[in-house]
Amino acid sequence: MKAKIKVTLKNGVLDPQGKAIEGALGSLGFSGIDHVRQGKYFEIDLKSTDKAKAKAQLDDICKKLLANTVIENYEIELA
Amino acid sequence: MKSAVILFPGINRERDMARALEAVTGHKPAIVWHTETTLPKVDLVAVPGGFSYGDYLRCGAIAARSPIMADIRAKAARGLKVLGVCNGFQIITEAGLLPGALLRNSGLKFVCREVKLKVENTRTFFTNRMKQGDVVRCPVAHGEGNYICDAETLKALEDNGRVVFRYAEGTNPNGAMSDIAGIVNEAGNVIGMMPHPENMIEPLHGNTDCRPLFESLLAA
């Protein structure tokens, strides 16, 4: 099974990298861009074939390492 | 006062920290590699600065999950004194020993310069030789020292004097909320700070403003 995990900053958490990208897009002449937020993306290959178990394990993985839940949210997609 | 300095791959301030601890306490600290599972018998654990694991994932995130951290966490819960400086602050915060998180500096740049630190709480093991409101000079060198926490945590920190150090006189180098440079946990035995007091204790450093912080360890 393959998991795709997105980790993003929570709303209200300052994202200076997103801001810098936003500025650079402006410099390149892209118009109509309101906000840019930068996040992280992980692909994990799992041996498990049990979707529920995999989901529970990935949830644990996100909480314990991939995301800092003080400042970040995470989304797990299993395929 | 016996101490240990924890060493992770990518840490680079362990000698500065060990030298400062030895200069003031008279004891050479034990250097403990991160794969150890048990700390030696010490009164203080210092987690020094650097770039553990190249700041991969998040600053301090990988180091915070090292084998030695389980013993540090267990002993800190029983009162062991822990001092985290710079990357060490990030590591112990990622490990859950302190609340909040340290984000990218608001100015996006790595900042390496001197700041002014106001001592806001003199009842800690690292500040008991200071006077309330003392302002000391201290260097910083970090790219991710922008302290953040939720409103409830901030209130708890402020109401209970848990902000130990604040950037003073407009020297906040990173955008940290409420100019927070260093905090202490609820029990008072874990302190984390972004600035490097170990680099301002000898005349050759240009200034000895931060020596009393280390001298505080003798009374603690």
Side-chain angles (χ1 to χ4, degrees), chain A residues 7-23:
Chain A
V7 175
T8 51
L9 284 172
K10 286 184 178 170
N11 280 337
V13 174
L14 183 74
D15 176 14
Q17 296 184 95
K19 276 263 172 280
I21 294 164
E22 205 176 294

Side-chain angles (χ1 to χ4, degrees), chain B:
Chain B
M1 162 60 68
K2 286 198 175 144
S3 59
V5 175
I6 312 298
L7 189 53
F8 304 90
I11 286 291
N12 60 14
R13 299 285 190 129
E14 77 281 4
R15 289 189 191 190
D16 309 52
M17 182 59 81
R19 189 185 160 102
L21 289 170
E22 186 179 355
V24 174
T25 67
H27 293 282
K28 217 180 191 52
I31 305 289
V32 178
W33 185 237
H34 68 114
T35 55
E36 296 289 326
T37 50
T38 313
L39 288 166
K41 211 170 152 28
V42 292
D43 310 295
L44 168 85
V45 163
V47 186
F51 299 87
S52 57
Y53 293 91
D55 286 345
Y56 287 3
L57 190 62
R58 296 176 305 275
C59 298
I62 311 278
R65 279 84 181 167
S66 299
I68 192 64
M69 289 308 295
D71 200 41
I72 293 177
R73 199 181 287 114
K75 287 180 175 145
R78 296 200 298 270
L80 173 70
K81 295 179 187 72
V82 179
L83 172 68
V85 166
C86 199
N87 194 206
F89 183 16
Q90 296 164 339
I91 293 167
I92 61 175
T93 303
E94 274 280 348
L97 290 171
L98 290 171
L102 292 140
L103 298 178
R104 181 67 61 102
N105 293 348
S106 56
L108 276 174
K109 288 196 173 71
F110 187 96
V111 178
C112 183
R113 61 169 140 92
E114 197 177 289
V115 298
K116 299 267 179 69
L117 280 188
K118 190 171 174 205
V119 181
E120 297 275 19
N121 177 348
T122 57
R123 301 178 313 279
T124 78
F125 68 86
F126 202 50
T127 54
N128 60 62
R129 292 278 173 98
M130 309 296 291
K131 282 197 285 298
Q132 182 77 28
D134 270 353
V135 174
V136 297
R137 290 164 57 187
C138 192
V140 294
H142 59 253
E144 292 174 328
N146 183 352
Y147 184 79
I148 188 176
C149 62
D150 59 39
E152 198 182 320
T153 306
L154 182 63
K155 190 174 181 315
L157 292 177
E158 294 284 8
D159 290 355
N160 300 297
R162 288 172 53 196
V163 176
V164 181
F165 300 105
R166 230 185 275 273
Y167 300 111
E169 300 170 22
T171 60
N172 184 341
N174 52 40
M177 57 167 48
S178 304
D179 295 324
I180 291 172
I183 58 172
V184 63
N185 67 340
E186 203 173 351
N189 63 312
V190 179
I191 291 181
M193 63 191 298
M194 286 313 297
H196 286 282
E198 74 278 18
N199 292 129
M200 196 127 270
I201 64 154
E202 296 178 33
L204 275 176
H205 292 148
N207 188 297
T208 57
D209 269 18
C210 295
R211 199 172 177 99
L213 297 175
F214 285 90
E215 287 168 352
S216 298
L217 296 170
L218 298 171

